[in-house]
Amino acid sequence: MKNPDQVNPYQSTVKKTDFGILTTLVSEAGVSTHGSISFGDKTLSANYVYDKRGTYQLVYTIIDTEGNTESFAEDNGILPTLFLSSAQKNYVSFVPYHPDKELEISVPVFNRDSTELPKGNRPFTGKFIGTTNQFSIFHEADIWSETKPDKMLSIEFKNDVIKKKHNIKIDLPRNNKIFINNGDIHLLANDKKGWLHRQIDELGNVIRERLVSPNKEWFWEILSLSFVENSYILCEEEGKISVEVITPDLQCTTTDIADIENEFFNTWQPVKIAEHTFTVNFNGEFGNGWLTIKNDELLELFYSKNEKGYRNILTNEVLPMEKKDMIISSLNKTGEGSYAVIFYPSDDRKTKNKELLILNRKIK
């Protein structure tokens, strides 16, 4: 297959702030972002870059921790999903242009010279979760259905080449959160009697399970989940943020960590940036933000409510932005204790967004 061609679709500015390096990318006619992922100690972002005629091209942009960027254009594909292979190489699934069929292929993002064009599969709309020894794992839950089981896609690798894609239905209960650690796949779901914690293999078979009786009825995200170590689960009720700590013998305690006075509307999969340390972004009625937690200790909490930027609730410091109402697109690890956040301005629906902002930050 042909490698993506290097292009230069943005005007770039880099600014050093007290919070990290802030890069602004401006396109001539418009840009929309479609996810990011770690690329070694850099960030790899997938975006649609538009021209003045309204057509667009899929562009991969690499951003290093100093804010420098390189971009490469995909000449034949849309609907990208970035992921890592079991050997931690960067891959992408996308849909090649075809007049009659919409089939998805999965290929390396770069270094494709020895890659043959694979056969397409029906697109999987779930999210990349992580990797085990031989598999890349994706998960999808239908939040609008009370009966449909969750789906899992396990892409099997052999000798660093995709061998087979396995589409799996996960046994009920549905609407699980999924967590991978040391090659083990864990699920956590609200059950009628509590929280059901299961460990499954790459084909969906249950290895072991237990029922947790927590202090909280609902949870938002898994920070860590284990049968043999303490588990840490992110919870929130009416703006009061807490961590439910579950011991191996099923003792549950609640650690209150912050009160932002406004409930979460959504949270996204936590990103592990260091041992026992996770960063997760959220949104609500009055803004969005992100927080970093080590076990059940809050290290930082940035929130945009009433700010033209983001205030760290713990220190009262403000990361200023030129525009109000920024949207957080994605967040990924760049190094030990370091991460990148990608933002774009809220669209007024009359003009196409032309900017992406990337904050490279290191926890002090």
Side-chain angles (χ1 to χ4, degrees):
M1 286 186 66
K2 179 179 177 292
N3 286 313
D5 295 320
Q6 189 160 8
V7 292
N8 187 25
Y10 307 111
Q11 287 186 336
S12 174
T13 58
V14 179
K15 180 181 178 182
K16 291 186 178 181
T17 76
D18 292 338
F19 302 88
I21 303 292
L22 187 63
T23 303
T24 303
L25 301 178
V26 181
S27 65
E28 184 179 6
V31 60
S32 61
T33 180
H34 291 265
S36 69
I37 199 168
S38 297
F39 183 71
D41 59 356
K42 303 175 184 178
T43 294
L44 176 64
S45 175
N47 311 300
Y48 289 166
V49 178
Y50 292 81
D51 59 28
K52 293 180 179 179
R53 296 170 296 175
T55 59
Y56 61 84
Q57 191 169 32
L58 171 56
V59 174
Y60 309 114
T61 299
I62 300 168
I63 309 105
D64 69 19
T65 53
E66 296 300 315
N68 304 305
T69 64
E70 289 183 289
S71 293
F72 302 85
E74 186 71 69
D75 65 351
N76 183 28
I78 57 172
L79 302 175
T81 299
L82 298 169
F83 68 99
L84 297 174
S85 72
S86 56
Q88 304 304 296
K89 293 186 178 180
N90 287 88
Y91 269 67
V92 62
S93 295
F94 62 79
V95 176
Y97 298 116
H98 193 282
D100 303 315
K101 299 178 182 178
E102 189 174 285
L103 296 177
E104 182 179 80
I105 64 172
S106 301
V107 295
V109 178
F110 304 111
N111 302 319
R112 301 177 185 169
D113 303 276
S114 59
T115 301
E116 295 183 5
L117 183 68
K119 292 182 179 179
N121 305 100
R122 184 178 177 183
F124 187 84
T125 56
K127 299 176 181 178
F128 172 63
I129 302 299
T131 62
T132 64
N133 290 334
Q134 290 181 266
F135 292 82
S136 297
I137 305 297
F138 300 74
H139 174 253
E140 179 184 16
D142 187 343
I143 62 172
W144 306 110
S145 170
E146 294 296 328
T147 58
K148 287 184 180 179
D150 292 2
K151 297 177 182 178
M152 188 167 76
L153 171 66
S154 297
I155 301 181
E156 184 177 0
F157 285 82
K158 185 176 182 180
N159 299 324
D160 204 29
V161 175
I162 293 176
K163 178 183 177 182
K164 187 177 180 180
K165 293 185 176 182
H166 304 266
N167 284 280
I168 297 144
K169 290 183 178 180
I170 297 174
D171 292 342
L172 296 173
R174 53 174 295 280
N175 204 22
N176 292 263
K177 295 294 184 177
I178 184 167
F179 175 77
I180 299 176
N181 186 42
N182 296 325
D184 296 331
I185 305 170
H186 296 264
L187 304 173
L188 189 67
N190 282 294
D191 202 12
K192 293 179 180 179
K193 299 178 181 179
W195 297 350
L196 181 63
H197 172 200
R198 292 178 285 178
Q199 182 182 340
I200 62 173
D201 64 18
E202 291 91 345
L203 300 182
N205 302 304
V206 176
I207 299 172
R208 51 181 167 172
E209 64 180 50
R210 62 179 182 170
L211 189 65
V212 181
S213 298
N215 299 311
K216 300 291 184 180
E217 183 177 1
W218 305 102
F219 67 93
W220 278 101
E221 298 290 343
I222 299 167
L223 299 172
S224 63
L225 192 56
S226 171
F227 282 89
V228 297
E229 297 178 342
N230 282 357
S231 301
Y232 298 88
I233 311 299
L234 180 65
C235 303
E236 175 271 332
E237 291 180 87
E238 298 180 344
K240 296 178 175 65
I241 306 170
S242 62
V243 176
E244 193 77 355
V245 184
I246 307 166
T247 65
D249 61 355
L250 293 177
Q251 300 299 309
C252 297
T253 57
T254 303
T255 302
D256 296 322
I257 60 173
D259 185 356
I260 61 172
E261 300 179 348
N262 311 116
E263 65 181 5
F264 291 165
F265 281 1
N266 300 286
T267 57
W268 281 261
Q269 180 186 347
V271 174
K272 185 176 182 179
I273 63 168
E275 190 69 22
H276 307 299
T277 306
F278 293 82
T279 300
V280 56
N281 59 302
F282 64 89
N283 68 15
E285 183 178 1
F286 300 102
N288 58 43
W290 70 96
L291 52 92
T292 301
I293 303 173
K294 183 174 184 179
N295 290 329
D296 58 348
E297 177 189 0
L298 182 64
L299 302 183
E300 59 179 9
L301 196 170
F302 287 90
Y303 190 26
S304 67
K305 181 183 177 181
N306 297 328
E307 299 292 344
K308 194 176 180 181
Y310 292 85
R311 180 182 298 276
N312 186 350
I313 302 298
L314 270 65
T315 65
N316 222 28
E317 298 170 294
V318 175
L319 166 64
M321 294 281 186
E322 291 186 4
K323 296 181 180 179
K324 201 174 180 181
D325 298 329
M326 302 297 291
I327 295 173
I328 298 173
S329 165
S330 56
L331 189 154
N332 57 267
K333 178 181 178 180
T334 55
E336 190 69 10
S338 302
Y339 61 86
V341 188
I342 298 182
F343 312 84
Y344 61 92
S346 179
D347 192 353
D348 63 8
R349 299 190 180 184
K350 294 180 181 179
T351 59
K352 195 174 291 294
N353 172 55
K354 297 180 181 180
E355 291 184 3
L356 296 178
L357 291 87
I358 303 97
L359 175 69
N360 270 287
R361 176 167 170 81
K362 184 174 178 62
I363 296 291
K364 298 178 181 178

